[in-house]
């Protein structure tokens, strides 16, 4: 196949160069798949390329995990066979003029920096463009350039040589931009999962006297961090989380003590949200307008509607409606759905439970696999005994029911609408609507006197509190 010279106005593609397990990382996991602020590290390189408008963005082999595919399909092309540039080129059409190669272990690169590389390659029609910076200003030395008196690249140095030569100039082996034609000709020259892939391409271009251009980095030094060990990973994590907090604050979120708040890159916020100190937000979490969270709350894979207050509580995989108050010290576990105008109090734990509007679960209890109707009051110490040692069973509590303190509801069981259980009851049989049941085991012992009925029967004496 013959490749033509690139047209400066042609499209740009990107190839994400994954870094496999390394001795410095001391891990069996690929370096580019280590987690940073809730995403695999390679996701940030992919996102930067997508933000720039690269199409296609190609990632494969060790980066082709189901998580990355779920995040970016159909925006990315993933492959699992082969380890050479030729494999990646199968997804890159002839219409592409420039190709960015970005390390999956370089998560702090900005869209602006990548844009400058592409612009230089297209303006100069060069074979290769590398990103450079003064050696002293970089967080680590990935490679070195030495120029002659005319400013042309004279040598490309190893890491050790670069640090010993006072005239050397750093170049990042985490990102380059190449013409598609030149890269296609050398598609079998390097293995794109190798840690030194981009340095090898630069050395190859210099050895054959290809046209190499440079772009000097002008952003923050930390942007050039190429994660090679756990110390680099911690630096990248700190930087990313600071960026995320800044983004949240500029989007209308008040962080009372920003340094104590952890927010994954996957979390979204509405406006006029207030986050008190020591709160953590992880995974697929979304916070609605006017919520107040904290202090010391942890939310993971949880969605809050507007006007929700969460105090010193843990929410995992929960969905919460408007005007709900939770905590302190409540625990909402996965598949719990809370409707609007509900109150969940201290030391209440809910799992796989649906709570309807107006219900109150104020004190010390456990509801598992439970359906709670409208305007139900659940007394302190109530427990649903949902597990019989082999299977989980459902408890249903009807609209307007009153569950006395210390009630044990042995599932499967149903408490009918407007029914009532006495304090300390062990309910092993269904309670009919508006019935009053108590005892161990609980038995129906009459009809519940509802507040409206009591007022009709009153002789006018003053009622007690």
């Amino acid at each position: 196949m013959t490749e033509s010279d690139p047209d400066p106005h042609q499209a740009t593609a990107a190839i994400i160069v994954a870094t496999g397990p390394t001795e410095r990382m001391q891990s069996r996991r690929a370096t580019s798949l280590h987690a940073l602020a809730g995403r695999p590290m390679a996701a940030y390189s992919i996102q930067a390329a997508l933000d720039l408008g690269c199409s296609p963005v190609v990632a494969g082999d060790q980066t082709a995990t189901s998580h990355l595919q779920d995040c970016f399909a159909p925006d990315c092309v993933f492959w699992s066979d082969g380890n050479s540039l030729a494999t990646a080129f199968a997804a890159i059409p002839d219409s592409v003029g420039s190709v960015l190669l970005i390390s999956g272990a370089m998560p702090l690169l900005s869209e602006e920096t990548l844009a400058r590389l592409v612009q230089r390659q297209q303006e100069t029609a060069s074979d290769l463009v590398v990103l450079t910076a003064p050696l002293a200003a970089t967080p680590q030395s990935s490679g070195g350039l030495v120029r002659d008196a005319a400013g042309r690249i004279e040598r490309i140095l190893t890491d050790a040589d670069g640090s010993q030569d006072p005239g050397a100039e750093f170049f990042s082996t985490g990102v380059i931009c190449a013409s598609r034609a030149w890269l296609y000709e050398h598609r079998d020259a390097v293995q794109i999962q190798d840690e030194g892939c981009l340095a090898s391409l630069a050395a190859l271009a210099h050895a054959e006297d290809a046209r190499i251009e440079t772009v000097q980095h002008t952003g923050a030094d930390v942007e050039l961090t190429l994660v090679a060990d756990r110390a680099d990973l911690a630096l990248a994590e700190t930087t990313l989380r600071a960026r995320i907090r800044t983004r949240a604050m500029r989007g209308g979120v008040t962080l009372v003590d920003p340094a104590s708040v952890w927010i994954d890159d996957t979390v979204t916020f509405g406006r006029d949200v207030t986050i008190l100190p020591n709160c953590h937000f992880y995974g697929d979490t979304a916070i609605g307008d006017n919520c107040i969270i904290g202090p010391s709350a942890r939310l993971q894979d949880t969605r809050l509607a507007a006007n929700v207050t969460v105090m010193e509580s843990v929410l995992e995989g929960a969905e919460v409606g408007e005007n709900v108050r939770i905590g302190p010290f409540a625990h909402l576990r996965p598949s719990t759905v809370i409707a609007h105008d509900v109150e969940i109090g201290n030391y209440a734990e809910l799992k796989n439970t649906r709570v309807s509007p107006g219900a109150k679960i104020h004190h010390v209890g456990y509801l598992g696999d439970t359906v709670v109707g409208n305007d139900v009051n659940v007394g302190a110490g109530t427990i649903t005994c949902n597990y019989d040692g082999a299977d989980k069973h459902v408890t249903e509590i009807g609209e307007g029911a009153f569950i006395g303190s210390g009630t044990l509801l042995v599932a499967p069981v149903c408490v009918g609408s407007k029914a009532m259980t006495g304090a300390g009851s062990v309910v092993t049989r269904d309670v009919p609507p508006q019935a009053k049941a108590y005892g161990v085991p609980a038995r129906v012992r009459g009809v519940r006197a509802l507040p409206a009925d009591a007022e009709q029967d009153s002789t006018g004496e003053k009622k007690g509190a």
Side-chain angles (χ1 to χ4, degrees):
M1 178 177 178
T2 303
E3 296 287 308
S4 59
D5 291 336
D7 181 340
H9 301 290
Q10 287 179 323
T12 301
I15 298 172
I16 307 304
V17 181
T19 303
T22 65
E23 184 177 347
R24 284 176 293 177
M25 206 67 174
Q26 292 294 302
S27 175
R28 294 183 179 89
R29 185 185 308 158
T31 300
S32 51
L33 293 183
H34 279 263
L36 283 177
R39 295 181 186 269
M41 192 189 312
Y44 295 95
S45 300
I46 292 173
Q47 190 63 59
L50 290 172
D51 290 344
L52 183 62
C54 294
S55 182
V57 175
V58 184
D61 234 9
Q62 293 161 1
T63 64
T65 66
S66 60
H67 183 78
L68 282 171
Q69 289 176 329
D70 290 343
C71 290
F72 294 106
D75 299 313
C76 289
V77 177
F78 293 92
W79 83 91
S80 57
D81 298 325
N83 192 26
S84 68
L85 281 172
T87 307
F89 264 95
I92 299 177
D94 294 346
S95 58
V96 167
S98 306
V99 179
L100 275 167
L101 291 96
I102 310 169
S103 172
M106 205 167 185
L108 303 180
L109 275 173
S110 67
E111 176 189 345
E112 292 75 18
T113 296
L114 297 178
R116 292 180 63 215
L117 288 174
V118 173
Q119 182 179 9
R120 177 63 60 86
Q121 192 282 321
Q122 293 182 348
E123 288 178 346
T124 62
S126 53
D127 296 312
L128 205 66
V129 178
V130 299
L131 183 65
T132 68
L135 271 172
T138 61
Q140 72 228 14
S141 294
S142 295
L145 304 176
V146 176
R147 298 181 187 271
D148 61 19
R152 296 184 297 267
I153 295 173
E154 185 177 59
R155 283 186 295 155
I156 292 184
L157 307 173
T158 65
D159 294 352
D161 292 335
S163 63
Q164 296 169 3
D165 192 324
E169 179 181 3
F170 166 84
F171 82 94
S172 169
T173 58
V175 56
I176 62 175
C177 186
S179 77
R180 185 188 189 281
W182 183 87
L183 200 59
Y184 181 83
E185 291 176 3
H186 301 84
R187 62 193 182 278
D188 295 316
V190 298
Q191 301 299 301
I192 60 174
Q193 305 300 324
D194 292 346
E195 192 174 9
C197 164
L198 302 190
S200 298
L201 280 174
L204 179 63
H206 180 261
E208 65 177 31
D209 201 26
R211 183 172 180 179
I212 303 176
E213 293 287 334
T214 62
V215 170
Q216 185 165 0
H217 181 253
T218 57
D221 298 338
V222 74
E223 185 184 340
L224 298 183
T225 299
L226 182 63
V227 175
D229 57 27
R230 306 280 179 160
D232 296 335
L233 189 69
L235 175 63
E237 181 88 28
T238 299
T239 303
L240 280 171
R241 292 198 181 277
R243 290 179 182 178
I244 293 165
R245 289 193 295 265
T246 299
R247 182 177 70 204
M249 289 186 284
R250 288 177 175 166
V253 178
T254 295
L255 302 182
V256 174
D257 180 20
S260 71
V261 176
W262 283 59
I263 305 171
D264 275 356
D265 190 56
T266 50
V267 176
T268 60
F269 296 94
R271 294 185 177 181
D272 297 312
V273 173
T274 299
I275 308 298
L276 299 175
N278 199 33
C279 290
H280 293 210
F281 301 87
Y282 301 110
D284 183 22
T285 292
I287 310 300
D289 293 346
N290 303 307
C291 289
I292 301 175
I293 314 295
S296 303
R298 180 166 68 87
L299 281 68
Q300 181 165 358
D301 300 325
T302 290
R303 311 187 81 77
L304 305 185
N307 304 307
V308 174
T309 298
V310 178
M311 300 178 291
E312 296 172 303
S313 296
V314 176
L315 282 66
E316 304 169 282
E319 183 176 337
V320 180
E322 294 184 354
N323 305 313
V324 171
R325 183 179 179 88
I326 298 172
F329 313 120
H331 187 186
L332 272 56
R333 292 168 55 194
S335 300
T336 293
V337 179
I338 308 297
H340 59 84
D341 299 301
V342 169
E343 297 177 15
I344 308 292
N346 48 289
Y347 301 104
E349 180 180 355
L350 285 72
K351 187 273 294 184
N352 190 29
T353 290
R354 301 184 69 88
V355 181
S356 300
K360 294 178 174 58
I361 307 165
H362 275 156
H363 318 285
V364 190
Y366 170 70
L367 300 182
D369 304 295
T370 304
V371 179
V372 180
N374 294 354
D375 302 312
V376 167
N377 188 89
V378 178
T382 295
I383 294 174
T384 58
C385 306
N386 59 320
Y387 183 50
D388 63 7
D391 299 302
K392 300 290 180 69
H393 301 282
V394 174
T395 297
E396 297 182 28
I397 304 174
E399 177 180 353
F402 184 95
I403 307 300
S405 297
T407 296
L408 303 183
L409 298 163
V410 182
V413 71
C414 175
V415 177
S417 63
K418 300 183 180 179
M420 177 181 186
T421 67
S425 297
V426 179
V427 181
T428 58
R429 300 179 181 178
D430 290 353
V431 179
Q434 205 173 332
K436 178 168 61 177
Y438 54 88
V440 181
R443 293 291 183 265
V444 174
R445 303 175 189 270
V447 177
R448 176 187 176 190
L450 299 174
D453 298 334
E455 288 182 11
Q456 290 175 4
D457 295 340
S458 172
T459 58
E461 68 272 14
K462 184 177 180 180
K463 295 183 176 65

